Amino acid sequence: MDATLTRIMEQRVDAVSIAFHRYMYSQINWERQMFGLVGPRGVGKTTLFLQYIHEHRGQKKMFYVSADNVYFSSHSLIDVADKFAREGGQHLFIDEIHKYGNWSQELKQIYDSHPDLNVSFTGSSILDITHGEADLSRRSPIYRMQGLSFREYLALFHGLQFPVATLADVLACKVKLDGVAHPLPWFHEYLQHGYYPFGGDPQFEMILNQIVEQTMDIDIPQYAKMTVATGRKLRHLLSIISKSVPFKPVMDSLATVVGVSRNVLPDYFVYMEKAGMIGQLRDDTGGIRGLGKVEKVYLDNTNLAYVMGGAMTDIGNIRETFFYNQMRVVSDIIASRIADFEIGDITFEVGGKKKSSRQVKNVPNAYVVKDDLEIGAGNQIPLWTFGMTY
């Protein structure tokens, strides 16, 4: 293989820490002929691949390459795969696949030409493997990775290991942090800078702002073939949402303010949702996950809400954002006609420590989720415990 690419791989693999693994590490079937790992910028997709190589390079002949390397200005992914296969390669890892122009067709050709070669790739969360001329959906499952849960944050930043809790455990108030007398200070830290693995960086806010800029100015416009002017309108739309979340979209007035057609706004919202910038809470009218009417729009996670909202950040919005953000990973969560959220036949009302049960008093199987509560009882559940579910 190319000496420069090999040196880059070895440097990155040697430097990666294997002390902590994201939740997706154990969920991936690493032996599949091909799979993709997608997610928002900054959640640790590249690290996951490098950790696997670090821990298994003695068992398999593996090669890692980033598709945005200048090497690909004069070479193709097919060139790399063909050469690697001829040299007895067994597992090829391709990072940042969305930055390579003809990725879907070339991956399809690699899959068909080298049945004995495992190929894994990472990409932007807006990546659609059914998009374009080569439909990879039958060949390549896609794993979608979110940012850190509160449980993962405790492990990565404080070295505290706790088991994954089920929703049933949470509702039965069985979630305990043995050895931690007061979880709330760490929970409030998490809300502000614990969703991303780089949350401990002194330049955290600057890095996160750069992620927002790159996602809105480059990733989405490039994928959706937008003009620069349209990309700016997308940023304007996100700014409007950030100042009024939880945002209840009124498409006609919003289209006028942003200066776009009302008909394209739903697509813009979907792009931003897939890219990890917003979350859309839908009702049950669609019958299938993701097809209902959008009732509320949140910023994707509480870290984004604090950075973009600044001093104007509303604590009620933070609570709802956290609950929706964490529970969507493990559950189908929809808007409630009575309270805030529903998961299956369970109703949730989210609020502060003094939140009363009056709104769900006569609702069967209903819970009041409270911030600033350390220990739950009955149908009063601490908000932080919902961050232990993945």
Side-chain angles (χ1 to χ4, degrees), residues 5 8-9 12-13 35-51 53 63-69 72 77 80 92-101 103 107 119-124 127 145:
L5 293 180
I8 292 173
M9 176 192 71
R12 299 199 67 178
V13 171
F35 72 82
L37 176 65
V38 303
R41 284 179 178 263
V43 297
K45 303 183 297 295
T46 299
T47 297
L48 207 71
F49 274 16
L50 295 175
Q51 286 176 328
I53 297 171
F63 194 72
Y64 164 91
V65 65
S66 181
D68 64 351
N69 191 291
F72 291 106
L77 290 175
V80 171
L92 176 63
F93 295 83
I94 306 170
D95 206 4
E96 304 275 24
I97 193 74
H98 58 282
K99 295 183 179 180
Y100 186 91
W103 63 268
L107 284 181
V119 179
S120 307
F121 59 92
T122 72
S124 165
L127 197 71
M145 189 164 78

Side-chain angles (χ1 to χ4, degrees), residues 160-227:
L160 299 171
Q161 303 287 338
F162 298 103
V164 172
T166 65
L167 180 58
D169 292 333
V170 172
L171 299 183
C173 298
K174 292 182 178 179
V175 178
K176 312 292 182 188
L177 301 185
D178 294 335
V180 178
H182 303 290
L184 293 179
W186 280 336
F187 179 55
H188 294 146
E189 282 183 9
Y190 167 84
L191 294 176
Q192 295 189 53
H193 53 78
Y195 186 69
Y196 295 92
F198 57 89
D201 194 297
Q203 303 298 318
F204 169 74
E205 188 169 329
M206 182 187 72
I207 296 171
L208 186 52
N209 275 315
Q210 289 175 345
I211 284 177
V212 173
E213 291 173 5
Q214 291 167 342
T215 300
M216 303 300 290
D217 294 350
I218 299 174
D219 294 351
I220 296 176
Q222 185 180 62
Y223 172 79
K225 296 179 173 59
M226 295 177 176
T227 64

Side-chain angles (χ1 to χ4, degrees), residues 248 281-284 293 295-296 298 320 333-350 359-360 363 365-367:
K248 296 189 177 183
L281 179 66
R282 297 169 171 87
D283 65 16
D284 61 354
K293 176 187 174 185
E295 288 293 327
K296 291 182 182 179
Y298 301 93
E320 290 186 35
I333 180 170
I334 60 173
S336 170
R337 296 189 177 101
I338 302 166
D340 289 319
F341 304 99
E342 289 181 8
I343 297 175
D345 62 351
I346 310 170
T347 300
F348 298 91
E349 177 70 8
V350 179
Q359 191 167 342
V360 294
V363 179
N365 211 13
Y367 293 84

Side-chain angles (χ1 to χ4, degrees), residues 152-161 186 189:
E152 290 183 302
Y153 165 78
L154 291 172
L156 178 58
F157 288 95
H158 297 288
L160 299 171
Q161 303 287 338
W186 280 336
E189 282 183 9

